[in-house]
């Protein structure tokens, strides 16, 4: 079932074309990774889908509605690209998760119970009373993801959620996304720079650099021409295992 349709959208900011003729659809339960170089328009695309930026042309339907109407349904979760929190940010980990329930009409006790359940879901239950600002970057990301999930969204948009999460934790982060898909039939649209890792975990890759150069199965994405279209000709493919370009031994290096 299609839940997101992006049709031929273009975005211009300060007379510069940031996105041009972007078209793709997302089905319920899919995990999509948007990849591409810095400044390629990944964050802009997510903000446009959520209605924060107006495209100069094209059409977006989320749950069959315009972005402005869709965000009011409460079915959408959004984790913005990480910004640093001030040292005196006064909230505990539990408080941050409770923020995700601010619009829900349930009792305070129920809110706390639900927030705890989601801290457990991201393996952060033992940190509930710790100040959020004292947590490591990766721990903050986990708590923020719990804040997004606690509101029971049907689709989540995560802008570089694995930033700051170490490699071992990252592995379990992607397992965690699969679990969300399997247990909650969650649809996930995420921005990622871990090109080598996402290939093993996502259903589709969106290769974005002003244009959507590629949209499809990760296996197809790991072709030299596709990668050079997205990252430019200076990209060097390092493939340790030639028969399996989408495997874990793959990464991209810049000359
Ligand atoms: N509010 C803004 N004002 C001016 N330029 C902007 C604004 N937002 C984005 N841009 C420009 O749009 C382009 C795409 O930015 P965007 O943040 O979408 O890239 P990105 O793919 O998310 O990059 P990164 O990987 O670094 O997060 C950049 O050149 C950026 O300078
Ligand atoms: Mg970005």
């Amino acid at each position: 079932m299609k839940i997101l349709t992006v049709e031929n959208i273009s975005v211009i900011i300060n007379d510069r074309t940031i996105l041009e003729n972007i078209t793709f659809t997302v089905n319920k339960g899919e995990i999509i990774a948007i990849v591409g170089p810095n400044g390629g328009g990944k964050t802009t695309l997510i903000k446009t889908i959520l209605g924060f930026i107006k495209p100069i042309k094209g059409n977006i339907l989320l749950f069959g509605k315009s972005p402005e109407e869709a965000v009011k349904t409460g079915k959408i979760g959004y984790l913005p690209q990480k910004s640093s929190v001030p040292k005196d940010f006064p909230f505990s980990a539990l408080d941050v998760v409770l923020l995700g329930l601010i619009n829900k009409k349930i009792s305070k006790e129920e809110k706390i119970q639900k927030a705890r359940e989601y801290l457990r879901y991201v393996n952060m239950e033992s940190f509930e009373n710790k100040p959020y600002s004292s947590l490591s970057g990766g721990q903050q990301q986990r708590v923020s993801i719990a804040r997004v999930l606690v509101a029971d969204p049907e689709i989540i948009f995560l802008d570089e959620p694995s930033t700051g999460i170490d490699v071992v934790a990252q592995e379990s982060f992607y397992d965690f996304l699969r679990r969300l898909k399997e247990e909650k039939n969650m649809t996930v649209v995420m921005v990622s720079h871990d090109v080598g890792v996402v290939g093993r975990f996502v259903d589709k890759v969106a290769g974005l650099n002003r244009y959507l150069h590629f949209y499809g199965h990760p296996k197809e994405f790991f072709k030299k021409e596709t990668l050079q279209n997205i990252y430019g000709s200076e990209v060097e493919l390092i493939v340790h295992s030639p028969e399996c370009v989408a495997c874990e031994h793959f990464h991209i290096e810049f000359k």
Side-chain angles (χ1 to χ4, degrees):
M1 190 180 74
K2 250 183 240 170
I3 62 174
L4 169 64
T5 307
V6 174
E7 212 173 58
N8 218 16
I9 63 151
S10 293
V11 171
I12 293 180
I13 299 174
N14 296 342
D15 295 333
R16 258 188 64 216
T17 304
I18 308 296
L19 296 173
E20 195 159 347
N21 295 332
I22 309 291
T23 297
F24 65 99
T25 59
V26 176
N27 297 314
K28 184 150 184 61
E30 280 185 322
I31 301 181
I32 312 289
I34 305 174
V35 303
N38 294 128
K42 303 179 294 297
T43 298
T44 303
L45 177 59
I46 288 186
K47 286 184 176 169
T48 308
I49 292 169
L50 297 175
F52 303 142
I53 294 174
K54 297 270 164 287
I56 54 141
K57 72 175 182 73
N59 201 20
I60 295 170
L61 282 179
L62 193 48
F63 298 109
K65 298 173 193 292
S66 69
E68 293 74 16
E69 289 303 312
V71 291
K72 292 181 196 157
T73 61
K75 294 179 181 175
I76 299 158
Y78 173 43
L79 181 66
Q81 193 160 6
K82 196 168 160 26
S83 52
S84 56
V85 207
K87 277 264 178 292
D88 55 358
F89 186 69
F91 296 108
S92 69
L94 186 70
D95 292 334
V96 168
V97 183
L98 284 168
L99 288 176
L101 291 169
I102 215 152
N103 293 321
K104 299 275 173 189
K105 291 180 179 53
I106 52 174
S107 71
K108 199 174 170 202
E109 291 70 33
E110 281 175 285
K111 284 186 179 180
I112 290 174
Q113 195 184 355
K114 216 163 181 299
R116 286 204 172 116
E117 180 193 325
Y118 276 87
L119 274 178
R120 213 169 26 249
Y121 204 74
V122 296
N123 290 324
M124 288 295 292
E125 69 271 34
S126 54
F127 294 85
E128 76 168 56
N129 295 317
K130 290 259 171 352
Y132 179 82
S133 59
S134 74
L135 302 177
S136 75
Q139 291 169 336
Q140 288 183 352
Q141 287 291 71
R142 282 161 187 260
V143 172
S144 299
I145 288 169
R147 175 189 43 83
V148 171
L149 294 177
V150 75
D152 275 334
E154 288 184 32
I155 183 169
I156 52 175
F157 293 86
L158 308 174
D159 200 343
E160 299 195 33
S162 61
T163 308
I165 298 182
D166 59 67
V167 179
V168 180
Q170 236 179 63
E171 196 71 42
S172 65
F173 173 72
Y174 289 104
D175 284 336
F176 167 75
L177 288 185
R178 303 279 341 166
R179 185 150 60 92
L180 270 181
K181 176 189 165 104
E182 278 151 28
E183 291 174 5
K184 299 185 190 291
N185 199 18
M186 186 72 77
T187 310
V188 181
V189 178
M190 61 182 291
V191 171
S192 180
H193 282 291
D194 319 319
V195 178
V197 184
V198 295
R200 285 178 295 148
F201 290 92
V202 305
D203 300 307
K204 282 182 190 149
V205 172
L208 187 69
N209 188 3
R210 177 165 165 172
Y211 305 97
L212 187 62
H213 291 280
F214 176 84
Y215 189 64
H217 193 276
K219 249 191 203 146
E220 298 296 311
F221 173 73
F222 289 99
K223 285 183 175 156
K224 190 164 182 157
E225 309 75 62
T226 310
L227 289 166
Q228 288 188 338
N229 277 336
I230 297 162
Y231 289 93
S233 57
E234 74 276 18
V235 76
E236 178 96 330
L237 284 189
I238 312 288
V239 181
H240 297 292
S241 170
E243 74 283 1
C244 174
V245 288
C247 74
E248 62 203 286
H249 300 300
F250 172 88
H251 64 276
I252 292 175
E253 266 183 15
F254 295 94
K255 280 182 192 160

